[in-house]
């Protein structure tokens, strides 16, 4: 039985079997002809780690925007692009995700947004003084987020590093937002959801057509 993408509804979390639902990575495993798993062997470990987190943090409606990516993910494992993908994800955390929440809380994130793209070890090292300053405002998140950037060169370590970075960034964002809540968060959430989905698509074929 083949996967019908038109009829598919992606749901959060891992599932015991396909009859109980499918997350993004489980759908990819089915599409690729693999056994049921949310860690399909045909998918880059970096894309797998990012995709599992993104699937679960998106609301139900927005999660369905990931369905067109299912056919693009098989074959990314071992394609030699994981270091670039890891740096793209870490760059997004540093220059897009956390600044959005800091600004929502009325804090200045101009230096973070103004950093050059973190596309190499040299760029990361050059950004260190700005990151040191940012740690004063979101200390817990930056140590772990920066560890994720360093871990980007090792795909085996990325899964745990990305999950830790995302969780730490989310915790720091919540703390920084303080009293901002409810409807006040919605515009920032919508922008970051769009940005994260666009980033993920770009990470599948870095430097190529999306």
């Amino acid at each position: 039985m083949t996967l019908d993408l038109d009829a598919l509804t992606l749901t959060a979390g891992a599932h015991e079997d396909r009859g109980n639902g499918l997350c993004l990575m489980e759908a990819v495993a089915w599409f690729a002809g693999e056994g049921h798993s949310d860690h399909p062997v045909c998918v880059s470990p970096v894309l797998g780690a990012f995709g599992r987190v993104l699937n679960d943090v998106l609301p139900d409606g927005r999660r369905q925007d990931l369905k067109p990516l299912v056919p693009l993910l098989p074959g990314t494992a071992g394609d030699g692009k994981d270091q670039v993908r890891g740096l793209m994800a870490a760059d997004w955390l540093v220059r897009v995700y956390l600044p959005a929440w800091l600004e929502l809380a009325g804090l200045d994130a101009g230096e973070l947004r103004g950093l050059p793209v973190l596309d190499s070890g040299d760029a990361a090292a050059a950004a260190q003084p700005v990151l040191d300053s940012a740690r004063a405002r979101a200390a817990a998140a930056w140590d772990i987020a920066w560890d994720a950037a360093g871990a980007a060169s090792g795909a085996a370590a990325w899964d745990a590093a990305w999950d830790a970075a995302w969780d730490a960034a989310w915790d720091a964002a919540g703390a920084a937002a303080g009293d901002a809540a409810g409807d006040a968060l919605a515009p920032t959430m919508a922008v970051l959801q769009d940005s994260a989905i666009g980033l993920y698509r770009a990470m599948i074929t870095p430097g190529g057509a999306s």
Side-chain angles (χ1 to χ4, degrees):
M1 181 177 178
T2 59
L3 175 63
D4 182 354
L5 287 176
D6 291 333
L8 173 65
T9 298
L10 295 175
T11 56
H15 303 83
E16 184 176 351
D17 56 49
R18 290 168 178 166
N20 289 323
L22 293 171
C23 69
L24 173 63
M25 286 298 123
E26 291 166 342
V28 172
W30 187 353
F31 182 88
E34 296 186 22
H36 181 68
S37 172
D38 67 346
H39 285 67
V41 299
C42 64
V43 175
S44 144
V46 174
L47 292 173
F50 195 125
R52 282 185 292 275
V53 175
L54 185 59
N55 178 88
D56 290 351
V57 300
L58 288 173
D60 291 341
R62 295 306 314 274
R63 187 180 299 114
Q64 308 318 310
D65 293 343
L66 301 177
K67 292 197 300 182
L69 305 183
V70 169
L72 306 181
L73 286 157
T76 55
D79 64 2
K81 299 178 180 179
D82 277 354
Q83 183 173 357
V84 173
R85 291 179 178 124
L87 286 168
M88 289 171 71
D91 177 77
W92 182 80
L93 276 174
V94 170
R95 298 195 309 121
V96 177
Y97 184 79
L98 273 174
W101 291 109
L102 293 172
E103 289 166 351
L104 183 65
L107 301 175
D108 182 11
E111 280 192 299
L112 295 173
R113 290 197 182 276
L115 284 171
V117 176
L118 305 185
D119 57 2
S120 69
D122 289 343
Q128 191 65 52
V130 176
L131 292 171
D132 288 341
S133 175
R135 285 193 183 101
R137 300 190 298 276
W142 287 117
D143 285 334
I144 301 176
W146 196 244
D147 286 347
S153 60
W158 176 259
D159 199 331
W162 168 256
D163 287 345
W166 187 289
D167 289 345
W170 184 265
D171 289 345
D179 292 335
D183 291 343
L185 297 179
T188 296
M189 289 294 296
V191 169
L192 288 176
Q193 289 163 6
D194 287 342
S195 178
I197 293 170
L199 169 67
Y200 193 52
R201 178 181 286 274
M203 286 169 62
I204 296 174
T205 54
S210 59

